[in-house]
Amino acid sequence: MSSASPYTINAGGQLLELHAPIVMGILNASPDSFYRHHEGAASMRRHTARMLAEGAAVIDVGACSTRPGSTPVSLEEETRLLRTALEAVRQEAPEAIVSVDTFRSQVARMSAEEYGVQIVNDISGGSMDDGMWRTVAELGLPYVLTHNAPVSETSDDAFMASLLRDLGSKAERLHDMGVCDVILDPGFGFGKTLTQNYALMRNLHVLHELGLPLLVGISHKSMIHRLLGTTPEEALNGTTVLHTVALQKGAHILRAHEVREATECIKITNAIRECQK
């Protein structure tokens, strides 16, 4: 089991210390989301308050579904939905650390300049908007770099080597452009087969070679309910199992729909680690 992390993230002047793992709580404003979305400012405020009370260190707000087979909403619709959500979050928690889940540079800029969003979470890894990396660099924000590309290699070693090359080269380019804080997301469910998703979880520790904080987003994803023959609504138990494995492999951030359960995973795995010292 990994030791305490040395990483810190400068989130708009607030320091996120990752000496112990943290939870990024999800607020979905898209009606097309594969699992659990919120409509209306009142519902969003309540959900924000609940997640913070349950231990979320970051609130991740998104308004454009990226589930497999979905068609992204227009820029105008994503902006409209996000303004409602971010306004609700800021009314409820003005000082909270907030990330915006978007692949559009215009949306990232609007979220930062109008609502003080401190982190950009881009599931495309910069591949869907050529201006995203420049925008993040100009804004001086931490960036969640997601691996989102098919990998043809079949052996575990070749598969992980491909991920390391892709994420490593992109992280280096981001640093060269002036993005100081890059967070790695290996992209569970993005461009990967069911077998590859579990191979990735088994070998997650390999990504520490890049020397960057590691975010894991597996909450209620299809790699759970496809394997078990269930539905996204029935995937909480599987999510908790995979959260536990990810923490044992050294994950620093869990992106989760249910914050309390993810926080409990962290507390338990931390207790086990402390007993081993």
Side-chain angles (χ1 to χ4, degrees):
M1 191 174 292
S2 297
S3 58
S5 165
Y7 299 117
T8 58
I9 298 167
N10 183 356
Q14 297 189 60
L15 204 61
L16 266 178
E17 297 185 0
L18 302 178
H19 54 80
I22 64 172
V23 177
M24 173 185 281
I26 300 169
L27 195 160
N28 280 329
S30 169
D32 192 36
S33 178
F34 75 93
Y35 175 74
R36 186 176 289 180
H37 75 278
H38 293 268
E39 295 183 6
S43 174
M44 293 174 183
R45 287 195 299 270
R46 286 193 299 271
H47 188 54
T48 297
R50 177 177 177 177
M51 288 194 292
L52 292 171
E54 292 179 346
V58 181
I59 304 296
D60 190 48
V61 185
C64 181
S65 176
T66 52
R67 63 174 177 80
S70 66
T71 300
V73 296
S74 67
L75 168 64
E76 292 74 20
E77 180 66 2
E78 183 183 9
T79 301
R80 183 187 69 80
L81 291 169
L82 265 178
R83 281 199 166 108
T84 298
L86 291 171
E87 180 69 27
V89 170
R90 285 307 184 205
Q91 286 178 355
E92 183 63 38
E95 302 303 317
I97 296 177
V98 179
S99 65
V100 60
D101 181 358
T102 185
F103 57 82
R104 292 178 168 125
S105 60
Q106 294 140 294
V107 173
R109 183 176 294 279
M110 178 277 293
S111 300
E113 293 180 347
E114 296 184 20
Y115 298 97
V117 163
Q118 299 102 317
I119 300 172
V120 174
N121 180 12
D122 176 10
I123 63 94
S124 82
S127 65
M128 297 176 73
D129 185 333
D130 292 340
M132 178 61 91
W133 291 4
R134 290 194 305 274
T135 297
V136 173
E138 289 171 10
L139 294 170
L141 300 181
Y143 178 74
V144 179
L145 170 64
T146 304
H147 182 271
N148 189 346
V151 180
S152 59
E153 287 83 354
T154 54
S155 73
D156 280 14
D157 288 348
F159 174 68
M160 294 306 297
S162 176
L163 262 67
L164 283 169
R165 285 193 302 271
D166 183 76
L167 289 170
S169 64
K170 289 180 177 178
E172 184 176 5
R173 287 164 57 197
L174 282 160
H175 284 144
D176 288 344
M177 293 176 71
V179 180
C180 296
D181 290 307
V182 177
I183 302 162
L184 299 182
D185 180 346
F188 287 99
F190 293 112
K192 300 171 183 67
T193 66
L194 185 62
T195 299
Q196 287 176 332
N197 280 310
Y198 282 96
L200 174 56
M201 183 61 75
R202 181 171 64 247
N203 296 285
L204 192 64
H205 58 282
V206 174
L207 295 177
H208 295 306
E209 293 181 18
L210 296 176
L212 295 170
L214 181 60
L215 180 150
V216 168
I218 47 84
S219 185
H220 291 262
K221 285 192 173 178
S222 63
M223 65 181 288
I224 301 169
H225 57 84
R226 282 178 56 202
L227 180 70
L228 301 178
T230 56
T231 66
E233 290 71 25
E234 299 171 289
L236 176 56
N237 187 51
T239 296
T240 298
V241 172
L242 290 180
H243 278 164
T244 303
V245 175
L247 291 167
Q248 291 173 335
K249 298 286 186 177
H252 304 104
I253 304 171
L254 298 179
R255 182 178 181 273
H257 293 89
E258 290 91 3
V259 170
R260 179 176 65 82
E261 287 82 353
T263 301
E264 289 176 352
C265 283
I266 291 171
K267 289 180 179 178
I268 291 170
T269 53
N270 282 350
I272 294 171
R273 185 180 64 237
E274 290 299 318
C275 289
Q276 293 177 337
K277 290 183 178 179

